[in-house]
mmCIF file of all heavy atoms in Angstrom:
data_model
loop_
_atom_site.group_PDB
_atom_site.id
_atom_site.type_symbol
_atom_site.label_atom_id
_atom_site.label_comp_id
_atom_site.label_asym_id
_atom_site.label_seq_id
_atom_site.Cartn_x
_atom_site.Cartn_y
_atom_site.Cartn_z
ATOM 1 N N GLU A 25 0.829 -1.200 0.000
ATOM 2 C CA GLU A 25 0.000 0.000 0.000
ATOM 3 C C GLU A 25 0.867 1.255 0.000
ATOM 4 O O GLU A 25 0.604 2.208 -0.730
ATOM 5 C CB GLU A 25 -0.915 -0.007 1.224
ATOM 6 C CG GLU A 25 -1.878 1.170 1.257
ATOM 7 C CD GLU A 25 -2.781 1.148 2.477
ATOM 8 O OE1 GLU A 25 -2.305 0.760 3.562
ATOM 9 O OE2 GLU A 25 -3.956 1.531 2.356
ATOM 10 N N ARG A 26 1.910 1.247 0.805
ATOM 11 C CA ARG A 26 2.817 2.404 0.843
ATOM 12 C C ARG A 26 3.508 2.594 -0.508
ATOM 13 O O ARG A 26 3.682 3.726 -0.965
ATOM 14 C CB ARG A 26 3.864 2.216 1.941
ATOM 15 C CG ARG A 26 4.830 3.384 2.087
ATOM 16 C CD ARG A 26 5.793 3.135 3.239
ATOM 17 N NE ARG A 26 6.683 4.264 3.447
ATOM 18 C CZ ARG A 26 7.815 4.469 2.803
ATOM 19 N NH1 ARG A 26 8.219 3.576 1.898
ATOM 20 N NH2 ARG A 26 8.567 5.522 3.053
ATOM 21 N N ALA A 27 3.904 1.485 -1.149
ATOM 22 C CA ALA A 27 4.560 1.578 -2.457
ATOM 23 C C ALA A 27 3.639 2.235 -3.483
ATOM 24 O O ALA A 27 4.089 3.038 -4.301
ATOM 25 C CB ALA A 27 4.975 0.189 -2.929
ATOM 26 N N LEU A 28 2.341 1.913 -3.448
ATOM 27 C CA LEU A 28 1.396 2.532 -4.373
ATOM 28 C C LEU A 28 1.189 4.006 -4.040
ATOM 29 O O LEU A 28 1.085 4.855 -4.940
ATOM 30 C CB LEU A 28 0.054 1.796 -4.330
ATOM 31 C CG LEU A 28 0.026 0.399 -4.957
ATOM 32 C CD1 LEU A 28 -1.334 -0.248 -4.751
ATOM 33 C CD2 LEU A 28 0.358 0.465 -6.443
ATOM 34 N N GLN A 29 1.133 4.331 -2.757
ATOM 35 C CA GLN A 29 0.955 5.727 -2.375
ATOM 36 C C GLN A 29 2.139 6.579 -2.809
ATOM 37 O O GLN A 29 1.983 7.747 -3.148
ATOM 38 C CB GLN A 29 0.744 5.827 -0.861
ATOM 39 C CG GLN A 29 -0.620 5.315 -0.412
ATOM 40 C CD GLN A 29 -0.793 5.347 1.099
ATOM 41 O OE1 GLN A 29 0.161 5.196 1.850
ATOM 42 N NE2 GLN A 29 -2.028 5.549 1.553
ATOM 43 N N LEU A 30 3.337 5.995 -2.792
ATOM 44 C CA LEU A 30 4.505 6.723 -3.281
ATOM 45 C C LEU A 30 4.390 7.032 -4.764
ATOM 46 O O LEU A 30 5.019 7.976 -5.254
ATOM 47 C CB LEU A 30 5.777 5.913 -3.016
ATOM 48 C CG LEU A 30 6.226 5.800 -1.556
ATOM 49 C CD1 LEU A 30 7.394 4.848 -1.430
ATOM 50 C CD2 LEU A 30 6.582 7.162 -0.992
ATOM 51 N N ARG A 31 3.597 6.251 -5.473
ATOM 52 C CA ARG A 31 3.355 6.497 -6.907
ATOM 53 C C ARG A 31 2.114 7.345 -7.126
ATOM 54 O O ARG A 31 1.675 7.528 -8.258
ATOM 55 C CB ARG A 31 3.212 5.167 -7.638
ATOM 56 C CG ARG A 31 4.496 4.353 -7.685
ATOM 57 C CD ARG A 31 4.228 2.894 -8.029
ATOM 58 N NE ARG A 31 3.404 2.760 -9.218
ATOM 59 C CZ ARG A 31 2.825 1.621 -9.608
ATOM 60 N NH1 ARG A 31 2.989 0.522 -8.877
ATOM 61 N NH2 ARG A 31 2.101 1.568 -10.688
ATOM 62 N N GLY A 32 1.526 7.853 -6.039
ATOM 63 C CA GLY A 32 0.352 8.698 -6.159
ATOM 64 C C GLY A 32 -0.937 7.940 -6.320
ATOM 65 O O GLY A 32 -1.936 8.508 -6.782
ATOM 66 N N ILE A 33 -0.966 6.676 -5.937
ATOM 67 C CA ILE A 33 -2.180 5.859 -6.031
ATOM 68 C C ILE A 33 -2.747 5.675 -4.635
ATOM 69 O O ILE A 33 -2.161 4.996 -3.789
ATOM 70 C CB ILE A 33 -1.868 4.504 -6.683
ATOM 71 C CG1 ILE A 33 -1.340 4.723 -8.102
ATOM 72 C CG2 ILE A 33 -3.102 3.610 -6.693
ATOM 73 C CD1 ILE A 33 -0.873 3.470 -8.793
ATOM 74 N N SER A 34 -3.900 6.273 -4.390
ATOM 75 C CA SER A 34 -4.497 6.252 -3.056
ATOM 76 C C SER A 34 -5.270 4.976 -2.787
ATOM 77 O O SER A 34 -5.261 4.462 -1.667
ATOM 78 C CB SER A 34 -5.444 7.454 -2.885
ATOM 79 O OG SER A 34 -4.782 8.664 -3.147
ATOM 80 N N LEU A 35 -5.972 4.472 -3.803
ATOM 81 C CA LEU A 35 -6.831 3.305 -3.637
ATOM 82 C C LEU A 35 -6.713 2.411 -4.864
ATOM 83 O O LEU A 35 -6.235 2.846 -5.926
ATOM 84 C CB LEU A 35 -8.297 3.721 -3.447
ATOM 85 C CG LEU A 35 -8.634 4.577 -2.217
ATOM 86 C CD1 LEU A 35 -10.047 5.127 -2.337
ATOM 87 C CD2 LEU A 35 -8.486 3.767 -0.935
ATOM 88 N N VAL A 36 -7.154 1.185 -4.723
ATOM 89 C CA VAL A 36 -7.287 0.284 -5.860
ATOM 90 C C VAL A 36 -8.759 -0.073 -5.988
ATOM 91 O O VAL A 36 -9.555 0.171 -5.078
ATOM 92 C CB VAL A 36 -6.431 -0.991 -5.687
ATOM 93 C CG1 VAL A 36 -4.964 -0.635 -5.606
ATOM 94 C CG2 VAL A 36 -6.854 -1.777 -4.440
ATOM 95 N N GLY A 37 -9.115 -0.640 -7.118
ATOM 96 C CA GLY A 37 -10.523 -0.970 -7.317
ATOM 97 C C GLY A 37 -10.715 -1.916 -8.478
ATOM 98 O O GLY A 37 -9.754 -2.341 -9.137
ATOM 99 N N SER A 38 -11.967 -2.249 -8.728
ATOM 100 C CA SER A 38 -12.288 -3.160 -9.827
ATOM 101 C C SER A 38 -13.647 -2.789 -10.404
ATOM 102 O O SER A 38 -14.508 -2.231 -9.712
ATOM 103 C CB SER A 38 -12.307 -4.613 -9.325
ATOM 104 O OG SER A 38 -13.267 -4.779 -8.292
ATOM 105 N N THR A 39 -13.792 -3.092 -11.688
ATOM 106 C CA THR A 39 -15.082 -2.952 -12.348
ATOM 107 C C THR A 39 -15.327 -4.217 -13.159
ATOM 108 O O THR A 39 -14.374 -4.825 -13.667
ATOM 109 C CB THR A 39 -15.122 -1.691 -13.229
ATOM 110 O OG1 THR A 39 -16.444 -1.466 -13.698
ATOM 111 C CG2 THR A 39 -14.186 -1.813 -14.402
ATOM 112 N N LYS A 40 -16.548 -4.626 -13.274
ATOM 113 C CA LYS A 40 -16.853 -5.965 -13.773
ATOM 114 C C LYS A 40 -16.655 -6.140 -15.268
ATOM 115 O O LYS A 40 -16.348 -7.232 -15.725
ATOM 116 C CB LYS A 40 -18.298 -6.328 -13.411
ATOM 117 C CG LYS A 40 -18.539 -6.472 -11.907
ATOM 118 C CD LYS A 40 -19.970 -6.876 -11.621
ATOM 119 C CE LYS A 40 -20.195 -7.071 -10.116
ATOM 120 N NZ LYS A 40 -21.601 -7.459 -9.826
ATOM 121 N N SER A 41 -16.848 -5.069 -16.038
ATOM 122 C CA SER A 41 -16.830 -5.245 -17.491
ATOM 123 C C SER A 41 -16.266 -4.015 -18.178
ATOM 124 O O SER A 41 -16.452 -2.874 -17.702
ATOM 125 C CB SER A 41 -18.244 -5.515 -18.010
ATOM 126 O OG SER A 41 -18.284 -5.503 -19.424
ATOM 127 N N GLY A 42 -15.615 -4.249 -19.307
ATOM 128 C CA GLY A 42 -15.123 -3.140 -20.103
ATOM 129 C C GLY A 42 -16.242 -2.307 -20.692
ATOM 130 O O GLY A 42 -16.019 -1.141 -21.053
ATOM 131 N N ALA A 43 -17.438 -2.863 -20.771
ATOM 132 C CA ALA A 43 -18.576 -2.114 -21.298
ATOM 133 C C ALA A 43 -18.975 -0.969 -20.377
ATOM 134 O O ALA A 43 -19.667 -0.041 -20.800
ATOM 135 C CB ALA A 43 -19.764 -3.052 -21.511
ATOM 136 N N LEU A 44 -18.547 -1.036 -19.115
ATOM 137 C CA LEU A 44 -18.915 -0.014 -18.136
ATOM 138 C C LEU A 44 -17.938 1.157 -18.110
ATOM 139 O O LEU A 44 -18.187 2.150 -17.430
ATOM 140 C CB LEU A 44 -18.986 -0.637 -16.737
ATOM 141 C CG LEU A 44 -19.969 -1.801 -16.564
ATOM 142 C CD1 LEU A 44 -19.850 -2.392 -15.168
ATOM 143 C CD2 LEU A 44 -21.391 -1.328 -16.827
ATOM 144 N N VAL A 45 -16.824 1.042 -18.823
ATOM 145 C CA VAL A 45 -15.805 2.098 -18.839
ATOM 146 C C VAL A 45 -16.024 2.969 -20.072
ATOM 147 O O VAL A 45 -15.824 2.517 -21.203
ATOM 148 C CB VAL A 45 -14.382 1.496 -18.845
ATOM 149 C CG1 VAL A 45 -13.333 2.605 -18.829
ATOM 150 C CG2 VAL A 45 -14.188 0.557 -17.666
ATOM 151 N N ASP A 46 -16.452 4.190 -19.859
ATOM 152 C CA ASP A 46 -16.775 5.092 -20.968
ATOM 153 C C ASP A 46 -15.693 6.154 -21.124
ATOM 154 O O ASP A 46 -15.243 6.747 -20.136
ATOM 155 C CB ASP A 46 -18.116 5.794 -20.713
ATOM 156 C CG ASP A 46 -19.271 4.803 -20.655
ATOM 157 O OD1 ASP A 46 -19.245 3.825 -21.426
ATOM 158 O OD2 ASP A 46 -20.183 5.001 -19.828
ATOM 159 N N VAL A 47 -15.294 6.393 -22.369
ATOM 160 C CA VAL A 47 -14.385 7.491 -22.682
ATOM 161 C C VAL A 47 -15.242 8.732 -22.912
ATOM 162 O O VAL A 47 -16.019 8.792 -23.868
ATOM 163 C CB VAL A 47 -13.534 7.173 -23.924
ATOM 164 C CG1 VAL A 47 -12.645 8.367 -24.266
ATOM 165 C CG2 VAL A 47 -12.696 5.932 -23.701
ATOM 166 N N VAL A 48 -15.110 9.738 -22.045
ATOM 167 C CA VAL A 48 -15.957 10.935 -22.130
ATOM 168 C C VAL A 48 -15.239 12.095 -22.811
ATOM 169 O O VAL A 48 -15.884 13.074 -23.196
ATOM 170 C CB VAL A 48 -16.437 11.364 -20.730
ATOM 171 C CG1 VAL A 48 -17.311 10.278 -20.117
ATOM 172 C CG2 VAL A 48 -15.264 11.675 -19.811
ATOM 173 N N ALA A 49 -13.912 12.020 -22.948
ATOM 174 C CA ALA A 49 -13.169 13.085 -23.633
ATOM 175 C C ALA A 49 -11.826 12.533 -24.095
ATOM 176 O O ALA A 49 -11.217 11.702 -23.419
ATOM 177 C CB ALA A 49 -12.968 14.288 -22.721
ATOM 178 N N ARG A 50 -11.394 12.999 -25.243
ATOM 179 C CA ARG A 50 -10.116 12.558 -25.773
ATOM 180 C C ARG A 50 -8.990 13.391 -25.180
ATOM 181 O O ARG A 50 -9.224 14.438 -24.568
ATOM 182 C CB ARG A 50 -10.117 12.661 -27.302
ATOM 183 C CG ARG A 50 -11.167 11.763 -27.956
ATOM 184 C CD ARG A 50 -11.264 12.027 -29.447
ATOM 185 N NE ARG A 50 -10.105 11.527 -30.168
ATOM 186 C CZ ARG A 50 -9.987 10.267 -30.584
ATOM 187 N NH1 ARG A 50 -10.949 9.381 -30.343
ATOM 188 N NH2 ARG A 50 -8.922 9.878 -31.242
ATOM 189 N N ALA A 51 -7.779 12.925 -25.383
ATOM 190 C CA ALA A 51 -6.612 13.654 -24.877
ATOM 191 C C ALA A 51 -6.330 14.843 -25.791
ATOM 192 O O ALA A 51 -7.027 15.080 -26.790
ATOM 193 C CB ALA A 51 -5.405 12.721 -24.818
ATOM 194 N N SER A 52 -5.305 15.597 -25.462
ATOM 195 C CA SER A 52 -4.893 16.709 -26.317
ATOM 196 C C SER A 52 -4.402 16.158 -27.653
ATOM 197 O O SER A 52 -4.077 14.975 -27.765
ATOM 198 C CB SER A 52 -3.773 17.495 -25.631
ATOM 199 O OG SER A 52 -2.613 16.674 -25.497
ATOM 200 N N PRO A 53 -4.355 16.994 -28.684
ATOM 201 C CA PRO A 53 -3.859 16.495 -29.983
ATOM 202 C C PRO A 53 -2.487 15.843 -29.880
ATOM 203 O O PRO A 53 -2.241 14.804 -30.508
ATOM 204 C CB PRO A 53 -3.821 17.766 -30.836
ATOM 205 C CG PRO A 53 -4.882 18.648 -30.243
ATOM 206 C CD PRO A 53 -4.853 18.382 -28.770
ATOM 207 N N ALA A 54 -1.589 16.439 -29.089
ATOM 208 C CA ALA A 54 -0.253 15.846 -28.929
ATOM 209 C C ALA A 54 -0.349 14.500 -28.223
ATOM 210 O O ALA A 54 0.316 13.525 -28.611
ATOM 211 C CB ALA A 54 0.652 16.794 -28.139
ATOM 212 N N GLY A 55 -1.185 14.427 -27.186
ATOM 213 C CA GLY A 55 -1.360 13.160 -26.464
ATOM 214 C C GLY A 55 -1.951 12.077 -27.338
ATOM 215 O O GLY A 55 -1.526 10.913 -27.273
ATOM 216 N N GLU A 56 -2.933 12.447 -28.150
ATOM 217 C CA GLU A 56 -3.542 11.478 -29.058
ATOM 218 C C GLU A 56 -2.533 10.998 -30.103
ATOM 219 O O GLU A 56 -2.477 9.801 -30.435
ATOM 220 C CB GLU A 56 -4.753 12.099 -29.760
ATOM 221 C CG GLU A 56 -5.963 12.292 -28.869
ATOM 222 C CD GLU A 56 -6.584 10.977 -28.446
ATOM 223 O OE1 GLU A 56 -6.535 9.996 -29.220
ATOM 224 O OE2 GLU A 56 -7.106 10.912 -27.312
ATOM 225 N N ALA A 57 -1.707 11.916 -30.608
ATOM 226 C CA ALA A 57 -0.709 11.537 -31.612
ATOM 227 C C ALA A 57 0.306 10.560 -31.015
ATOM 228 O O ALA A 57 0.675 9.568 -31.657
ATOM 229 C CB ALA A 57 -0.003 12.783 -32.134
ATOM 230 N N LEU A 58 0.765 10.821 -29.784
ATOM 231 C CA LEU A 58 1.717 9.921 -29.140
ATOM 232 C C LEU A 58 1.090 8.558 -28.880
ATOM 233 O O LEU A 58 1.751 7.518 -29.018
ATOM 234 C CB LEU A 58 2.207 10.538 -27.824
ATOM 235 C CG LEU A 58 3.107 11.771 -27.958
ATOM 236 C CD1 LEU A 58 3.401 12.350 -26.576
ATOM 237 C CD2 LEU A 58 4.400 11.420 -28.672
ATOM 238 N N ALA A 59 -0.196 8.550 -28.511
ATOM 239 C CA ALA A 59 -0.879 7.282 -28.273
ATOM 240 C C ALA A 59 -0.976 6.461 -29.561
ATOM 241 O O ALA A 59 -0.825 5.232 -29.548
ATOM 242 C CB ALA A 59 -2.276 7.533 -27.693
ATOM 243 N N VAL A 60 -1.229 7.148 -30.677
ATOM 244 C CA VAL A 60 -1.290 6.453 -31.965
ATOM 245 C C VAL A 60 0.072 5.845 -32.301
ATOM 246 O O VAL A 60 0.164 4.700 -32.771
ATOM 247 C CB VAL A 60 -1.743 7.427 -33.080
ATOM 248 C CG1 VAL A 60 -1.563 6.794 -34.453
ATOM 249 C CG2 VAL A 60 -3.199 7.819 -32.874
ATOM 250 N N VAL A 61 1.137 6.592 -32.045
ATOM 251 C CA VAL A 61 2.487 6.084 -32.322
ATOM 252 C C VAL A 61 2.785 4.869 -31.460
ATOM 253 O O VAL A 61 3.344 3.870 -31.934
ATOM 254 C CB VAL A 61 3.535 7.188 -32.087
ATOM 255 C CG1 VAL A 61 4.949 6.627 -32.214
ATOM 256 C CG2 VAL A 61 3.338 8.318 -33.093
ATOM 257 N N ARG A 62 2.429 4.938 -30.158
ATOM 258 C CA ARG A 62 2.663 3.794 -29.279
ATOM 259 C C ARG A 62 1.887 2.571 -29.741
ATOM 260 O O ARG A 62 2.428 1.451 -29.776
ATOM 261 C CB ARG A 62 2.272 4.141 -27.835
ATOM 262 C CG ARG A 62 3.269 5.026 -27.111
ATOM 263 C CD ARG A 62 2.980 5.055 -25.621
ATOM 264 N NE ARG A 62 1.664 5.620 -25.334
ATOM 265 C CZ ARG A 62 1.425 6.903 -25.119
ATOM 266 N NH1 ARG A 62 2.420 7.779 -25.169
ATOM 267 N NH2 ARG A 62 0.211 7.342 -24.846
ATOM 268 N N ALA A 63 0.625 2.761 -30.100
ATOM 269 C CA ALA A 63 -0.196 1.632 -30.552
ATOM 270 C C ALA A 63 0.370 1.027 -31.833
ATOM 271 O O ALA A 63 0.446 -0.204 -31.970
ATOM 272 C CB ALA A 63 -1.645 2.087 -30.758
ATOM 273 N N PHE A 64 0.768 1.879 -32.773
ATOM 274 C CA PHE A 64 1.340 1.368 -34.022
ATOM 275 C C PHE A 64 2.663 0.659 -33.760
ATOM 276 O O PHE A 64 2.962 -0.372 -34.376
ATOM 277 C CB PHE A 64 1.539 2.506 -35.015
ATOM 278 C CG PHE A 64 2.158 2.057 -36.311
ATOM 279 C CD1 PHE A 64 1.396 1.400 -37.267
ATOM 280 C CD2 PHE A 64 3.512 2.259 -36.560
ATOM 281 C CE1 PHE A 64 1.964 0.967 -38.458
ATOM 282 C CE2 PHE A 64 4.092 1.825 -37.739
ATOM 283 C CZ PHE A 64 3.312 1.180 -38.690
ATOM 284 N N SER A 65 3.472 1.195 -32.846
ATOM 285 C CA SER A 65 4.760 0.574 -32.526
ATOM 286 C C SER A 65 4.559 -0.819 -31.960
ATOM 287 O O SER A 65 5.287 -1.763 -32.319
ATOM 288 C CB SER A 65 5.530 1.440 -31.531
ATOM 289 O OG SER A 65 5.812 2.723 -32.070
ATOM 290 N N ARG A 66 3.584 -0.965 -31.066
ATOM 291 C CA ARG A 66 3.305 -2.299 -30.505
ATOM 292 C C ARG A 66 2.930 -3.284 -31.607
ATOM 293 O O ARG A 66 3.409 -4.420 -31.632
ATOM 294 C CB ARG A 66 2.178 -2.210 -29.467
ATOM 295 C CG ARG A 66 2.530 -1.434 -28.206
ATOM 296 C CD ARG A 66 1.429 -1.564 -27.177
ATOM 297 N NE ARG A 66 1.663 -0.693 -26.028
ATOM 298 C CZ ARG A 66 1.114 0.512 -25.872
ATOM 299 N NH1 ARG A 66 0.265 0.970 -26.791
ATOM 300 N NH2 ARG A 66 1.394 1.241 -24.819
ATOM 301 N N ARG A 67 2.045 -2.843 -32.520
ATOM 302 C CA ARG A 67 1.608 -3.741 -33.593
ATOM 303 C C ARG A 67 2.774 -4.083 -34.519
ATOM 304 O O ARG A 67 2.940 -5.246 -34.922
ATOM 305 C CB ARG A 67 0.471 -3.093 -34.390
ATOM 306 C CG ARG A 67 -0.832 -2.959 -33.621
ATOM 307 C CD ARG A 67 -1.995 -2.666 -34.575
ATOM 308 N NE ARG A 67 -1.757 -1.452 -35.350
ATOM 309 C CZ ARG A 67 -2.132 -0.239 -34.972
ATOM 310 N NH1 ARG A 67 -2.756 -0.080 -33.809
ATOM 311 N NH2 ARG A 67 -1.903 0.816 -35.746
ATOM 312 N N ALA A 68 3.568 -3.080 -34.877
ATOM 313 C CA ALA A 68 4.677 -3.318 -35.803
ATOM 314 C C ALA A 68 5.702 -4.265 -35.197
ATOM 315 O O ALA A 68 6.197 -5.183 -35.864
ATOM 316 C CB ALA A 68 5.333 -1.988 -36.180
ATOM 317 N N ILE A 69 6.037 -4.057 -33.916
ATOM 318 C CA ILE A 69 7.016 -4.922 -33.260
ATOM 319 C C ILE A 69 6.460 -6.331 -33.087
ATOM 320 O O ILE A 69 7.169 -7.328 -33.295
ATOM 321 C CB ILE A 69 7.420 -4.320 -31.897
ATOM 322 C CG1 ILE A 69 8.205 -3.021 -32.110
ATOM 323 C CG2 ILE A 69 8.255 -5.306 -31.078
ATOM 324 C CD1 ILE A 69 8.493 -2.256 -30.833
ATOM 325 N N GLN A 70 5.181 -6.417 -32.749
ATOM 326 C CA GLN A 70 4.579 -7.743 -32.603
ATOM 327 C C GLN A 70 4.579 -8.495 -33.932
ATOM 328 O O GLN A 70 4.834 -9.701 -33.975
ATOM 329 C CB GLN A 70 3.149 -7.605 -32.070
ATOM 330 C CG GLN A 70 2.429 -8.913 -31.837
ATOM 331 C CD GLN A 70 3.140 -9.802 -30.830
ATOM 332 O OE1 GLN A 70 3.639 -9.334 -29.810
ATOM 333 N NE2 GLN A 70 3.200 -11.101 -31.108
ATOM 334 N N ASP A 71 4.339 -7.779 -35.023
ATOM 335 C CA ASP A 71 4.297 -8.415 -36.334
ATOM 336 C C ASP A 71 5.695 -8.825 -36.812
ATOM 337 O O ASP A 71 5.882 -9.935 -37.326
ATOM 338 C CB ASP A 71 3.662 -7.455 -37.347
ATOM 339 C CG ASP A 71 3.602 -8.067 -38.748
ATOM 340 O OD1 ASP A 71 3.001 -9.155 -38.881
ATOM 341 O OD2 ASP A 71 4.174 -7.475 -39.689
ATOM 342 N N ALA A 72 6.697 -7.932 -36.613
ATOM 343 C CA ALA A 72 8.031 -8.191 -37.151
ATOM 344 C C ALA A 72 8.883 -9.053 -36.239
ATOM 345 O O ALA A 72 9.670 -9.873 -36.708
ATOM 346 C CB ALA A 72 8.744 -6.867 -37.430
#
């Protein structure tokens, strides 16, 4: 618990289904672009 608090995590939790997790707003354009690069990098490395 202390190790998580040092990382700024106060509590842990669970939710039953991915259908219950809603995206209500996208990140900034720069954040979205970096996320696209990370996702593509994972796919490219997994494929090659």
Side-chain angles (χ1 to χ4, degrees):
E25 184 180 37
R26 182 178 183 275
L28 289 176
Q29 288 177 329
L30 289 174
R31 293 163 51 192
I33 299 174
S34 305
L35 298 169
V36 298
S38 59
T39 189
K40 294 182 178 180
S41 172
L44 302 175
V45 181
D46 297 323
V47 177
V48 297
R50 298 172 72 85
S52 65
E56 288 292 328
L58 291 175
V60 169
V61 173
R62 284 193 298 270
F64 179 77
S65 299
R66 293 188 187 97
R67 291 195 302 270
I69 292 172
Q70 182 60 41
D71 180 57

